[in-house]
Every structure is written in C-alpha cells, then in structure tokens.
Amino acid sequence: MTKEQQKALETANRRKFVNNIAIVAMTDILDQAENIRKTLDVKMRYQNYNRYIHLHKYCFDVSLLFYKDGNIVIKIKDQTTGANYNEVLFEYSTDEKEQERALDMVDMLVTWLVPRFVEVELTEIHTFVSKIIQYDLMNLCAMEMEEMESIEADCN
C-alpha cells in the first residue's frame, strides 16, 4: 500500500470513528431526554468533518467536541461565576480497543451528564461545576454511577 493510500485509509477511519462517536452521543441524549419535562436545548454542528454537540440552559453550557483528528474534548461553562472546565477525554488511537473504550466512555458520560445538566437548578450550577473541577469529570461520573449501582443492588 502506498503512503497516499495509507493516509487516505487512516483519514477514512478517523472520519468513521468521529461520526460513530457523535451518533452514540446524540442517541444517548435522545434516550436520556425521553422523560424530561424541562427545556433542553441541543445544537449539533457539522463543520469540516468535526462534530460539535452543544447543550444549553440559562447560564450553563456543555459542549462535546469531536474533532476530525479523532480527539474528544468536553467544555463546561458556568456563566454565573465564569467558571470553565475543559478536558481532553480521548486522544485518537488507531487501536480498535481504545476506540471501543472511547465509545463506552462517551456513552457512560452522556448517560450520566444529561439528566444532571437538565435537573440542576440555577442556584446549584456553581456547586455542580465546582464538583466537576474538584473531582475531575470522569472520576465524578464513575463515583456517582457506582453509588447508583450499589443503591440499586441494596434495593434488590
């Protein structure tokens, strides 16, 4: 395989990965929003093979950024205090197991984040963002998911 063919194949694989991960995120948003009565503004933008998903409510924004290079970034902004949280969730790897791990991570994160994003009250936004900054987003997500699983296990 020539270098040009190899590069074209790698580019196609990255595009497929970015598209698949955006589909997972949007599907999860739709699933989580099914029983929500509050307003949830969702905007998806396709630009130059990048995929951007923006969630907005008054004074609170979350952006999931899926770049064409395969990297995944999350940005959270509390407009009441000006606090910002930015994290690179995944740096692209050609390893298919790493890509599957990224898909699972985005699935878990969106499933956890959307209900909290919608339900958080204006007076609690700064507390929520502070917790994310303090514990790191994925650690906080994992801790709360474990707590929920243990409570469900105790109930059964």
Side-chain angles (χ1 to χ4, degrees):
M1 187 178 291
T2 67
K3 286 185 180 182
E4 287 178 10
Q5 292 171 326
Q6 181 67 26
K7 185 171 179 160
L9 180 62
E10 287 175 13
T11 300
N13 288 339
R14 284 178 194 250
R15 286 181 184 162
K16 183 178 179 182
F17 171 73
V18 169
N19 197 54
N20 287 343
I21 207 135
I23 289 170
V24 166
M26 284 303 295
T27 302
D28 286 343
I29 289 169
L30 291 170
D31 288 345
Q32 293 303 311
E34 183 177 343
N35 296 316
I36 293 173
R37 291 184 50 127
K38 294 185 176 182
T39 301
L40 173 62
D41 290 329
V42 179
K43 177 180 171 184
M44 183 163 197
R45 174 188 242 175
Y46 284 67
Q47 182 177 350
N48 194 20
Y49 301 108
N50 296 312
R51 306 293 184 259
Y52 307 119
I53 299 174
H54 303 284
L55 307 175
H56 173 77
K57 67 188 281 181
Y58 183 72
C59 294
F60 193 27
D61 296 296
V62 173
S63 297
L64 294 165
L65 312 172
F66 308 112
Y67 294 113
K68 68 181 176 184
D69 64 4
N71 294 341
I72 303 169
V73 174
I74 187 166
K75 293 184 177 190
I76 300 173
K77 186 173 185 176
D78 172 3
Q79 295 174 359
T80 60
T81 64
N84 292 317
Y85 178 81
N86 300 319
E87 181 180 353
V88 176
L89 298 175
F90 179 75
E91 291 185 17
Y92 184 76
S93 169
T94 56
D95 182 4
E96 289 183 15
K97 288 182 182 178
E98 286 295 311
Q99 292 178 14
E100 283 297 318
R101 187 184 65 74
L103 286 166
D104 292 342
M105 176 196 57
V106 167
D107 180 36
M108 180 180 76
L109 177 65
V110 172
T111 300
W112 172 83
L113 184 60
V114 169
R116 280 150 189 81
F117 175 80
V118 172
E119 295 299 326
V120 70
E121 297 297 328
L122 180 61
T123 56
E124 300 170 346
I125 291 172
H126 65 282
T127 305
F128 182 68
V129 174
S130 294
K131 274 176 85 173
I132 290 171
I133 292 169
Q134 179 183 359
Y135 292 107
D136 180 44
L137 181 65
M138 292 310 297
N139 289 335
L140 182 63
C141 175
M143 286 181 345
E144 287 193 7
M145 294 288 272
E146 286 175 16
E147 282 178 28
M148 288 177 17
E149 288 173 4
S150 69
I151 290 170
E152 287 174 5
D154 291 344
C155 291
N156 293 332

